């Protein structure tokens, strides 16, 4: 009979790495089912600096102190720093070679009978949720098509970073509204190297990746930007507003529904909560689901899901007007809404400020949505 392990972790994305690293630091015996443990992560990760725990700041290989957003003509500079991770640096901080040597790694996909090989099963398999299930039957999706490319021209009017450039593409009426997410990655040495991604924040049904690709090139063409050489392509599909799983396995990361309904992000929360979960496992806490999803965070999530439903009800013009007033709120307010560290009162305060700020037709939509939420 094979050995019974303390913890089995499935998945070698950021969540798998984070929890394996924290468990091994605490001397917990771990079996790691990780078919792609030595493969590069396929996604490029960005985050607000204020959301990333300080011990991981050194893995932010790029930071922008003046990110922008745009809705009509001029881009607006935000008073917050945004960063992008170097994935290999982050992996090294999460699980160093010494820690990795202490873990039994099985380089294959998980199968049903793996459940019985450890006292605790941590499902960090991302959107697959192999051991935790509970996927929403009809989720909304964030979709995006991105390129890492050398370009000739300035994609965002001489700025270095755009979080959301929602300015319309001349001659294109697209619904749902799409925006350009843009980062100059080459710095002074190679100012023409960019990551450029056309994105739909959330839509049901999803906007196709092929349409997003067309829109990206139309947008760049409209700005007189020529793509000279594409080094990498990112095709992004993120289910939004997924349910929190109820299962015997402890879901963690995207599998646990960490993806924030307003941003599609989960990495910062994963980094912040891996230590807490590892403490609870090492300390023998019984109900680990309450550690992953404390009551106040569940309540906050209900509000965030309400916000997602509101957005899904907007047409393209309303989406632009909504975000235009959102980013005119004080920085603390809009950041509280995008953060997954905020409690219900902070989220509700931002919602109220936003309600006061939007134009009457949006106000009416918000009232209708609010009535639905209360019911
Ligand atoms: C293209 C893209 C870009 C994103 N950008 C950002 C961003 O900028 N910032 C941010 O915070 N979030 C971002 N996200 C959202 C989210 O943070 C990511 O999806 C993130 O990768 C989730 O991490 P995870 O470790 O939970 O899951 P994943 O990274 O999906 O990792 C899951 C792991 O489980 C493994 N696995 C799956 N099934 C099995 C199985 N049967 N057996 C064994 N292993 C299995 C996979 O091989 C993988 O190793 C992005 C998502 C996508 C898709």
């Amino acid at each position: 009979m094979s050995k019974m392990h303390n913890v089995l972790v499935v998945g070698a994305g950021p969540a798998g790495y984070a929890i394996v690293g924290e468990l091994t630091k605490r001397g917990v015996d771990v079996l790691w089912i990780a078919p792609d443990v030595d493969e590069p992560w396929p996604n490029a990760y960005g985050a607000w600096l204020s959301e990333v725990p300080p011990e991981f700041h050194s893995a932010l290989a790029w930071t922008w102190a003046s990110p922008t957003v745009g809705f009509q003509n001029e881009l607006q500079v935000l008073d917050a720093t945004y960063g992008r991770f170097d994935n290999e640096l982050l992996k090294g901080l999460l699980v160093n070679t010494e820690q990795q040597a202490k873990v039994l790694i099985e380089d294959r996909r998980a199968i049903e009978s793996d459940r019985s090989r450890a006292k605790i099963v941590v499902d960090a398999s991302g959107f697959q949720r192999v051991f935790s299930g509970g996927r929403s039957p009809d989720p909304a999706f964030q979709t995006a098509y991105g390129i890492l490319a050398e370009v000739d021209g300035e994609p965002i009017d001489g700025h270095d970073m755009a979080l959301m450039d929602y300015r319309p593409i001349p001659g294109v009426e697209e619904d749902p509204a799409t925006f350009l997410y843009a980062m100059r990655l080459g710095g002074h040495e190679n100012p023409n190297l960019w990551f450029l991604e056309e994105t739909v924040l959330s839509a049901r049904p999803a906007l196709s990746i092929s349409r997003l690709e067309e829109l990206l090139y139309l947008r760049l063409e409209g700005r007189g930007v020529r793509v000279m050489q594409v080094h990498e392509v990112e095709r992004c599909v993120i289910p939004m507003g997924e349910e929190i799983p109820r299962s015997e396995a402890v879901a963690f990361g995207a599998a646990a529904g960490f993806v924030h309904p307003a941003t599609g992000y989960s990495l910062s929360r994963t980094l912040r909560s891996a230590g807490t979960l590892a403490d609870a496992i090492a300390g023998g806490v019984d109900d680990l689901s309450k550690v992953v999803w404390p009551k106040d965070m569940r309540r906050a999530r209900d509000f965030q899901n309400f916000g997602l439903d509101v957005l899904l009800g907007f047409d393209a013009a309303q989406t632009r007007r909504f975000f235009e007033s959102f980013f005119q709120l004080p920085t603390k307010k809009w950041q509280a809404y995008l953060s997954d560290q905020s409690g219900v009162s902070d989220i509700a305060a931002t919602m109220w400020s936003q309600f006061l700020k939007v134009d009457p037709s949006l106000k009416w939509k918000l009232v209708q949505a609010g009535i639905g939420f209360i019911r």
Side-chain angles (χ1 to χ4, degrees):
M1 214 176 111
S2 65
K3 179 186 164 189
M4 186 72 170
H5 294 271
N6 270 346
V7 181
L8 178 145
V9 176
V10 183
Y17 263 81
I19 191 63
V20 166
E22 292 296 334
L23 288 169
T24 52
K25 268 188 213 164
R26 289 158 181 78
V28 177
D29 150 59
V30 176
L31 167 63
W32 194 6
I33 310 271
D36 45 6
V37 70
D38 294 322
E39 302 285 317
W41 289 333
N43 309 331
Y45 296 111
W48 294 106
L49 184 66
S50 54
E51 292 288 294
V52 178
E55 61 271 31
F56 298 110
H57 284 189
S58 60
L60 288 167
W62 299 267
T63 53
W64 295 272
S66 310
T68 61
V69 288
F71 306 95
Q72 308 293 336
N73 303 316
E74 300 263 301
L75 290 172
Q76 172 197 339
V77 175
L78 299 175
D79 178 21
T81 299
Y82 191 82
R84 174 171 153 135
F85 286 99
D86 176 312
N87 287 352
E88 292 310 309
L89 284 180
L90 181 57
K91 272 187 178 181
L93 292 178
L94 292 172
V95 181
N96 61 34
T97 36
E98 212 176 291
Q99 285 171 302
Q100 192 157 333
K102 287 188 196 148
V103 180
L104 177 61
I105 301 176
E106 293 189 5
D107 176 7
R108 60 169 179 81
R109 299 193 73 72
I111 51 171
E112 191 53 33
S113 59
D114 288 325
R115 282 181 194 268
S116 56
R117 294 184 62 201
K119 291 177 201 140
I120 295 169
V121 173
V122 177
D123 181 357
S125 65
F127 305 126
Q128 299 300 317
R129 297 185 166 197
V130 288
F131 286 142
S132 40
R135 299 194 58 185
S136 305
D138 184 24
F141 287 96
Q142 180 173 122
T143 48
Y145 176 86
I147 53 174
L148 173 67
E150 312 274 342
V151 305
D152 181 18
E154 283 294 320
I156 45 170
D157 311 352
H159 291 276
D160 291 335
M161 201 268 154
L163 178 77
M164 273 184 173
D165 181 353
Y166 260 123
R167 293 175 296 174
I169 302 169
V172 175
E173 296 274 331
E174 195 70 24
D175 205 344
T178 67
F179 64 84
L180 177 67
Y181 173 63
M183 299 163 164
R184 195 194 301 273
L185 293 180
H188 293 305
E189 288 125 53
N190 185 4
N192 300 328
L193 181 66
W194 285 83
F195 180 70
L196 300 165
E197 191 162 64
E198 195 70 24
T199 306
V200 176
L201 192 57
S202 51
R204 186 189 287 126
L207 187 64
S208 73
I209 300 284
S210 55
R211 179 61 182 153
L212 285 157
E213 179 179 0
E214 278 169 17
L215 292 172
L216 175 64
Y217 281 94
L218 284 172
R219 187 186 288 281
L220 295 175
E221 200 182 295
R223 292 179 185 182
V225 174
R226 271 197 317 142
V227 176
M228 311 299 284
Q229 193 186 357
V230 175
H231 298 292
E232 282 170 29
V233 169
E234 179 176 270
R235 294 177 179 83
C236 173
V237 180
I238 303 179
M240 302 285 281
E242 287 262 68
E243 283 164 19
I244 299 171
R246 296 159 200 262
S247 65
E248 235 175 80
V250 185
F252 188 64
F258 279 9
V259 168
H260 193 300
T263 61
Y265 287 1
S266 74
L267 187 58
S268 301
R269 173 153 175 210
T270 293
L271 298 179
R272 218 176 313 109
S273 45
T276 313
L277 176 59
D279 275 342
I281 291 175
V285 169
D286 266 347
D287 191 349
L288 293 167
S289 67
K290 289 202 176 110
V291 176
V292 177
W293 275 104
K295 204 169 162 194
D296 52 338
M297 287 189 106
R298 279 180 190 261
R299 288 185 57 219
R301 176 49 60 93
D302 287 342
F303 271 71
Q304 292 158 349
N305 279 338
F306 163 65
L308 173 64
D309 284 342
V310 168
L311 271 185
L312 289 168
F314 288 158
D315 63 23
Q318 289 167 333
T319 304
R320 286 194 182 89
R321 294 208 312 276
F322 181 85
F323 279 111
E324 188 169 16
S325 41
F326 180 77
F327 282 108
Q328 282 164 12
L329 294 174
T331 303
K332 256 179 85 174
K333 283 252 161 86
W334 62 255
Q335 279 206 320
Y337 192 79
L338 301 183
S339 168
D340 43 31
Q341 301 179 68
S342 303
V344 170
S345 57
D346 288 334
I347 297 170
T350 303
M351 284 178 161
W352 179 243
S353 305
Q354 171 73 346
F355 177 75
L356 295 178
K357 210 164 178 62
V358 294
D359 61 58
S361 78
L362 282 182
K363 261 197 186 83
W364 176 233
K365 285 219 78 138
L366 295 180
V367 168
Q368 286 173 313
I371 292 168
F373 180 61
I374 290 162
R375 277 188 187 146

